[in-house]
Amino acid sequence: MKVAKFGGTSLANAEQIKKVCDIVLSDSDRKIIVVSAPGKREKSDTKVTDLLIACAEKQLADGNAVEELNAVVKRFKDIADDLKLGDEIINEIKADLEGRLKLDTSHKGMFMDAMKAAGEDNSAKLVAAYLNSIGKKAQYVSPKQAGLLLSSEFGNAQVLPESFENLKMLCGIDGIIIFPGFFGYTAEGNVATFPRGGSDITGSILAAALKVDLYENFTDVDAVYAAHPGLVNNPVAISEITYREMRELSYAGFSVLHEDTLIPVFKAGVPVNIKNTNNPTAPGTKIVLSRDYSPNSHVVGIASDDSFCCIYVSKFMMNREIGFGRKLLQILEDEGISYEHTPSGIDNISIIFKQSQIKNTSIEQKILARIKNELNCDDVSIDHGLAMIIIVGEGMKNTVGTASRATTALAKASISLEMINQGSSEVTMMFGVRQYEAHKAVISLYNEFFNRR
């Protein structure tokens, strides 16, 4: 049995939905189908989720979101009409949307999640209706019916452990199951969503709970590439990659999968295959527990992420002061800052985090003052406008000279390094550069590790 998830571009219009259903029906093992909300039909279009967010925001602002609601209904109606489904399904979708708009708005996050989830929920109803209209047995199954329970962290919910046992009930349902991605229900019965892109996570949870043979993630690209196609011309397609490698690349800017997607399938040992809805016969990229690599394929990909800043802290004899690191990180925790990396020396430490977490200069100055005064530091400063470039590959652990090749390539491109960091797992190597040099850094590293093979 397989779980197959289809993204927003795969469900953007009737033509795409027909492609999705052809793919599903071409393999009898595809029993559980996870769907996203309809995405963009063309570049200037608006995703249904964004239409729903606009609708929710208008309702919260003045309680009159009729025009915004009608825009969402029209998107679904256009699809339904092109699929020749009749009025019944659209009346059902319209009633659902109108009901959500009447929900209590006193808890903004809860209301917003209920509205956002309508995209996936009604997309699933539409796909199930189409399959039944062409004589194929399909059933829409709600996450509530299936027991997909999430924490009450609206907009950033986490799956609760009991969900995995609950979801086994899906095995007893006949026909093709159409399951909406992106959301579940709290123990109190409220809708809660994963972060944007969370339909990937839903598919992974279902695949892990049912211990299927394969989790297929259909998107709009033929494969995962060794570098972002927007940065590197015609990059190498990756045929096989490990869970750890893919998670590192997703975290560092690869947008093919949400970075949290792989945790459930990794724990369950379910392989993942990323494929293209518009080219379903292409082999795609397989994500597995381990892979073979040669001396020329020890690096699997290069990614970049920008808009970082770094707090630099210096204090003589820091290494002798027990608890210094804990106290430093406690200050950041108090101020609501989560960190990414902490490269350090004997008497200094750097804390790297996303710049977006510092909302204004007063918060920045408060953090710096607290660190200096509470920890009696010699020097505290903050550096903005950094980008992190990472090289990822399981094979780096057993390959001599990777760091040397990388730094030489960057030096030849006249790129100044702000920092270097390599984790003990040796799966990734990180280079901090100025934000404006990130593109050039990715190209120089790609040329070194892929064009010289």
Side-chain angles (χ1 to χ4, degrees):
M1 184 166 63
K2 298 176 182 177
V3 168
K5 177 263 174 182
F6 291 88
T9 54
S10 301
L11 299 151
N13 55 36
E15 181 184 353
Q16 287 296 99
I17 288 176
K18 288 177 181 178
K19 286 182 186 177
V20 165
C21 292
D22 286 343
I23 291 168
V24 171
L25 297 172
S26 70
D27 186 344
S28 60
D29 288 339
R30 293 182 178 126
K31 293 282 291 178
I32 299 175
I33 311 305
V34 178
V35 299
S36 297
K40 292 185 177 184
R41 293 162 291 191
E42 32 82 20
K43 201 168 186 179
S44 62
D45 198 13
T46 304
K47 297 177 180 179
V48 163
T49 300
D50 290 323
L51 291 176
L52 286 163
I53 290 171
C55 183
E57 288 175 342
K58 187 68 163 58
Q59 187 72 5
L60 288 167
D62 61 17
N64 184 18
V66 174
E67 185 178 337
E68 289 76 12
L69 181 73
N70 288 339
V72 180
V73 174
K74 185 178 185 306
R75 275 296 301 274
F76 281 111
K77 187 176 188 309
D78 288 345
I79 296 172
D81 287 348
D82 289 342
L83 293 173
K84 297 180 172 54
L85 291 179
D87 293 335
E88 184 179 348
I89 184 65
I90 283 304
N91 290 338
E92 181 183 348
I93 290 172
K94 185 179 180 182
D96 174 76
L97 291 166
E98 289 173 343
R100 291 171 192 257
L101 210 58
K102 293 175 183 176
L103 293 171
D104 182 11
T105 58
S106 60
H107 190 304
K108 182 179 177 181
M110 189 186 300
F111 176 74
M112 184 65 77
D113 271 18
M115 291 299 297
K116 287 189 297 185
E120 279 73 12
D121 205 25
N122 289 298
S123 179
K125 295 172 188 174
L126 202 61
V127 172
Y130 174 69
L131 282 167
N132 282 299
S133 76
I134 61 173
K136 306 300 178 183
K137 188 173 184 179
Q139 183 173 334
Y140 155 80
V141 176
S142 163
K144 190 171 191 176
Q145 175 189 348
L148 178 53
L149 297 177
L150 306 184
S151 63
S152 299
E153 301 165 83
F154 299 102
N156 191 34
Q158 304 293 312
V159 64
L160 298 182
E162 55 264 41
S163 294
F164 293 93
E165 187 63 34
N166 295 343
L167 289 165
K168 290 178 182 178
M169 61 82 67
L170 295 172
C171 291
I173 297 176
D174 290 335
I176 300 167
I177 295 168
I178 310 298
F179 198 99
F182 185 44
F183 75 97
Y185 285 80
T186 67
E188 295 75 30
N190 299 310
V191 173
T193 69
F194 296 115
R196 285 295 288 265
S199 291
D200 291 339
I201 302 173
T202 301
S204 180
I205 291 167
L206 266 59
L210 302 175
K211 292 184 169 55
V212 298
D213 300 301
L214 184 66
Y215 171 33
E216 296 179 308
N217 193 292
F218 283 86
T219 180
D220 56 359
V221 294
D222 280 349
V224 178
Y225 296 96
H228 195 294
L231 300 178
V232 173
N233 185 37
N234 196 26
V236 171
I238 301 170
S239 60
E240 194 171 67
I241 188 171
T242 68
Y243 295 109
R244 290 202 304 175
E245 290 170 330
M246 189 66 224
R247 180 160 157 73
E248 293 284 355
L249 289 170
S250 297
Y251 159 76
F254 272 41
S255 59
V256 177
L257 282 181
H258 189 282
E259 64 185 81
D260 293 338
T261 299
L262 296 175
I263 297 171
V265 284
F266 169 73
K267 290 180 177 179
V270 176
V272 180
N273 197 182
I274 296 172
K275 295 175 72 68
N276 189 351
T277 301
N278 299 313
N279 186 18
T281 59
T285 298
K286 197 83 171 284
I287 306 175
V288 294
L289 186 62
S290 62
R291 68 178 179 92
D292 294 327
Y293 58 86
S294 68
N296 289 325
S297 65
H298 63 289
V299 172
V300 73
I302 297 163
S304 67
D305 198 6
D306 58 13
S307 300
F308 285 93
C309 58
C310 174
I311 292 179
Y312 173 82
V313 181
S314 175
K315 184 177 182 180
F316 187 64
M317 301 293 286
M318 180 191 294
N319 66 315
R320 298 285 186 90
E321 187 173 333
I322 296 173
F324 184 90
R326 176 186 57 78
K327 294 172 188 174
L328 173 59
L329 294 178
Q330 184 64 57
I331 291 172
L332 295 180
E333 182 181 343
D334 292 345
E335 302 300 330
I337 304 294
S338 63
Y339 72 95
E340 309 288 333
H341 307 281
T342 57
S344 63
I346 297 175
D347 295 326
N348 56 73
I349 186 170
S350 297
I351 310 293
I352 301 164
F353 54 92
K354 273 289 191 178
Q355 200 161 288
S356 58
Q357 295 187 83
I358 301 227
K359 304 301 181 185
N360 53 59
T361 54
S362 62
I363 294 175
E364 177 180 308
Q365 292 305 314
K366 178 185 177 184
I367 292 171
L368 295 179
R370 283 195 63 188
I371 293 172
K372 185 170 182 63
N373 297 332
E374 295 177 26
L375 301 182
N376 298 313
C377 299
D378 300 326
D379 184 34
V380 180
S381 61
I382 188 165
D383 191 11
H384 297 276
L386 295 176
M388 299 297 142
I389 316 297
I390 69 165
I391 299 174
V392 176
E394 299 271 4
M396 291 196 299
K397 184 174 183 179
N398 299 314
T399 304
V400 176
T402 304
S404 174
R405 287 177 63 184
T407 54
T408 299
L410 292 169
K412 286 180 179 178
S414 301
I415 295 169
S416 176
L417 288 175
E418 302 295 323
M419 67 190 70
I420 303 175
N421 190 25
Q422 183 171 15
S424 58
S425 67
E426 298 188 62
V427 174
T428 63
M429 191 177 297
M430 183 198 76
F431 301 93
V433 303
R434 305 313 306 179
Q435 194 168 307
Y436 63 86
E437 292 189 311
H439 188 173
K440 186 166 65 168
V442 170
I443 292 173
S444 65
L445 291 170
Y446 180 85
N447 288 338
E448 174 63 31
F449 290 103
F450 292 93
N451 283 345
R452 293 183 57 184
R453 289 183 177 179

